[in-house]
Amino acid sequence: MAKRKESNQHGPSKAKLKRAKDTDTDDDTSSDEVFTQLPLRLRAHLTAEKQDTNTLNVDFEWFDPQTQDFHGLKTLLRQLFDVDAQLFDLSALTDLILSQPLLGSTVKVDGNETDPYAFLTVLNLQEHRDKPVIKHLSNYLMQHCTKSPALAQLSDLLAPSSKSQVGLILTERLINIPPEVVPPMYNLLFEEIAWALEDKEPYTFSHYLIVSKSYTEVESSLGQEDSRPQKKSKKSKKGGSEVFYFHPEDEVLQRYSVRYGSFDYTKQGSEAMSDSKRAFQELGIRPQGHMMLIESGKLEQAVKAVSDFLSSST
């Protein structure tokens, strides 16, 4: 029978996060617009938990990955790999995650039997290197590393002949799920790895490789015949388009990375597709993959910095 995650060090698995409305705007409908974009089940839960006009209380619960999470995890993996998800056997990858139920977490709202809204796990690339889905995923990551100067040295760590023990961290959450759910998942992972090492299991990692997503803004090609001047995409200090993050914690994590960088997806769409992803703004959005390599001894410090960052921004 599945057991709810609990931790004496980091508190109970059930956490209440308060999401305050924006009090600095005269537009009272802004928070309502955000609320209507939430998943239907979460909206229903929030409505039931709503206590006043200033806060919404949400109870999140952390669980071990379980067989009933298969479709929810597969959906989150598809979201994580974006257009390149079609390149992988996501069913096999999901099965691999579920094969290690005592490592990693899912986050739910309405109890154990519901779909996960977020997950985090780690896979030993060296231990699973002969599995087709890991072999394919490792080759995919190596190919993109060789195309990016910022990521070039990662290909040596990911090579089949490498003796490095790289833990591949996969984590994703539904849109509008707050980043505050992330540090507890990492803290639980640290405890689980410590327990696994006591049992002589293969989780002594030299590095952690976090796969995530970023995006750049692209100039809209719609209405170019219009005489109005078009808004230009922002440029970074190092030249090129400025990189933005789907996961705000990534900007903190990469400060502790020995290597990090973004890469174009293999199935990257045209500029017209990016143009179609405009969200009430003049610029389009071009999603990209993002990788961060962190030495094992620095990950806990990085997660602590994420917690401090999230605490200071609320």
Side-chain angles (χ1 to χ4, degrees):
M1 185 174 180
K3 186 169 67 173
R4 181 178 299 168
K5 295 268 189 181
E6 293 187 357
S7 166
N8 293 330
Q9 180 179 353
H10 304 292
S13 63
K14 198 170 186 180
K16 185 170 287 187
L17 301 180
K18 292 186 177 181
R19 309 297 294 161
K21 290 186 179 180
D22 186 356
T23 57
D24 297 329
T25 177
D26 294 329
D27 185 2
D28 293 334
T29 64
S30 59
S31 59
D32 293 332
E33 291 174 354
V34 172
F35 180 75
T36 58
Q37 296 176 20
L38 293 172
L40 180 60
R41 184 178 293 161
L42 182 55
R43 273 187 279 155
H45 187 84
L46 290 176
T47 301
E49 290 287 323
K50 189 173 182 180
Q51 295 182 339
D52 54 54
T53 59
N54 294 320
T55 61
L56 292 172
N57 292 333
V58 187
D59 290 336
F60 291 101
E61 297 174 292
W62 283 255
F63 293 92
D64 296 320
Q66 301 154 67
T67 54
Q68 70 262 27
D69 299 329
F70 178 87
H71 294 291
L73 290 175
K74 186 175 178 181
T75 297
L76 290 171
L77 287 171
R78 186 179 296 113
Q79 177 179 303
L80 174 62
F81 290 106
D82 206 273
V83 292
D84 279 357
Q86 60 188 292
L87 300 175
F88 307 110
D89 185 348
L90 294 185
S91 293
L93 186 56
T94 304
D95 284 336
L96 184 57
I97 292 172
L98 293 174
S99 72
Q100 45 181 43
L102 299 182
L103 203 64
S105 300
T106 61
V107 177
K108 301 181 180 182
V109 171
D110 294 329
N112 184 34
E113 299 303 318
T114 58
D115 288 336
Y117 287 170
F119 86 98
L120 184 146
T121 193
V122 63
L123 299 172
N124 189 327
L125 294 181
Q126 185 73 8
E127 181 73 13
H128 300 299
R129 64 185 182 278
D130 293 329
K131 290 182 172 62
V133 64
I134 293 299
K135 186 180 298 185
H136 189 185
L137 181 55
S138 296
N139 288 336
Y140 168 86
L141 295 174
M142 282 191 294
Q143 289 173 7
H144 286 292
C145 286
T146 58
K147 298 176 183 178
S148 169
L151 298 171
Q153 294 186 9
L154 270 68
S155 57
D156 293 335
L157 290 175
L158 297 174
S161 59
S162 174
K163 300 300 182 182
S164 299
Q165 297 292 321
V166 179
L168 177 66
I169 291 180
L170 300 176
T171 181
E172 183 59 292
R173 59 185 181 269
L174 294 182
I175 297 172
N176 292 318
I177 296 299
E180 285 86 351
V181 304
V182 173
M185 289 196 291
Y186 272 106
N187 290 329
L188 286 167
L189 181 67
F190 297 148
E191 291 184 349
E192 291 162 343
I193 289 177
W195 296 334
L197 292 176
E198 290 178 1
D199 294 334
K200 309 300 182 182
E201 296 184 25
Y203 295 108
T204 303
F205 297 118
S206 59
H207 299 80
Y208 291 98
L209 179 62
I210 303 172
V211 175
S212 190
K213 296 172 62 179
S214 62
Y215 68 92
T216 57
E217 293 179 334
V218 298
E219 184 179 353
S220 173
S221 60
L222 298 177
Q224 286 188 345
E225 68 280 0
D226 199 321
S227 58
R228 293 176 299 176
Q230 296 292 317
K231 184 177 179 180
K232 300 293 185 181
S233 59
K234 296 179 181 179
K235 301 294 184 181
S236 68
K237 295 180 180 180
K238 296 180 180 180
S241 298
E242 183 177 358
V243 175
F244 300 90
Y245 303 92
F246 285 102
H247 298 159
E249 66 271 16
D250 288 352
E251 193 167 2
V252 179
L253 290 172
Q254 71 180 25
R255 296 175 193 164
Y256 295 82
S257 303
V258 292
R259 290 287 184 275
Y260 66 87
S262 297
F263 59 89
D264 287 337
Y265 288 120
T266 302
K267 297 289 185 180
Q268 192 80 52
S270 63
E271 292 298 320
M273 183 177 294
S274 298
D275 195 21
S276 70
K277 295 182 179 181
R278 295 185 300 156
F280 308 106
Q281 59 183 14
E282 295 181 17
L283 298 175
I285 292 175
R286 183 181 178 88
Q288 296 175 302
H290 192 74
M291 284 187 271
M292 295 169 285
L293 183 73
I294 302 179
E295 294 176 346
S296 60
K298 294 184 177 180
L299 185 57
E300 289 196 43
Q301 183 183 358
V303 172
K304 175 63 166 58
V306 170
S307 297
D308 294 341
F309 167 75
L310 295 175
S311 298
S312 64
S313 61
T314 56

